[in-house]
Amino acid sequence: MTEQPTTLSTGPGAWPAPQDAYALAPNILREIGWTARTARLVIHQPFDGDDAREYFLRKAALLDRIALQSEQDGIHGDATELAEAAALYLIDTDHARSAAGDADPRGYVRRAYARWSQHH
């Protein structure tokens, strides 16, 4: 059984810990498959609104999770850069530019994902 996130903070600069933010997330391989399938669909039929936000949120969260694994192994390279870029794109998509989001874009992704996953 999957646990509910335990430390979902609400302040603008308060970010959940990765293990809490991604507590309800599918495994990384499943999420890679979902992201790839959805990206192929977008090529043939662009979308916007909630569907687009879900795609960009899940993609940013996936890249953050991959980067976290790399960083845990002491590697701060392409995965970290891609996760940061995807986070900034999500922030722009959400029109959520703020000092807090800019200070920790990946924290923004974690908070957004934790909130989203509690409702899906």
Side-chain angles (χ1 to χ4, degrees):
M1 185 168 131
T2 307
E3 283 185 33
Q4 291 289 329
T6 57
T7 58
L8 187 54
S9 303
T10 56
W15 313 116
Q19 65 272 18
D20 293 331
Y22 302 129
L24 301 176
N27 72 50
I28 287 178
L29 292 177
R30 175 177 276 166
E31 203 64 350
I32 288 170
W34 181 90
T35 303
R37 284 189 308 279
T38 304
R40 281 193 299 272
L41 292 173
V42 172
I43 291 170
H44 300 293
Q45 184 178 357
F47 58 71
D48 58 7
D50 290 341
D51 290 337
R53 183 176 191 280
E54 178 180 353
Y55 171 74
F56 291 118
L57 173 60
R58 288 177 70 173
K59 179 181 175 184
L62 170 64
L63 291 169
D64 183 45
R65 292 168 63 200
I66 292 169
L68 286 165
Q69 286 185 349
S70 294
E71 292 162 358
Q72 193 172 32
D73 294 336
I75 302 167
H76 297 271
D78 292 344
T80 300
E81 291 174 20
L82 289 171
E84 185 86 8
L88 290 170
Y89 189 85
L90 178 66
I91 290 169
D92 285 343
T93 300
D94 285 352
H95 306 289
R97 282 286 178 180
S98 68
D102 287 344
D104 188 1
R106 289 172 57 194
Y108 177 89
V109 169
R110 292 175 196 142
R111 183 176 64 190
Y113 189 89
R115 289 177 176 168
W116 174 85
S117 68
Q118 289 178 344
H119 298 99
H120 286 89

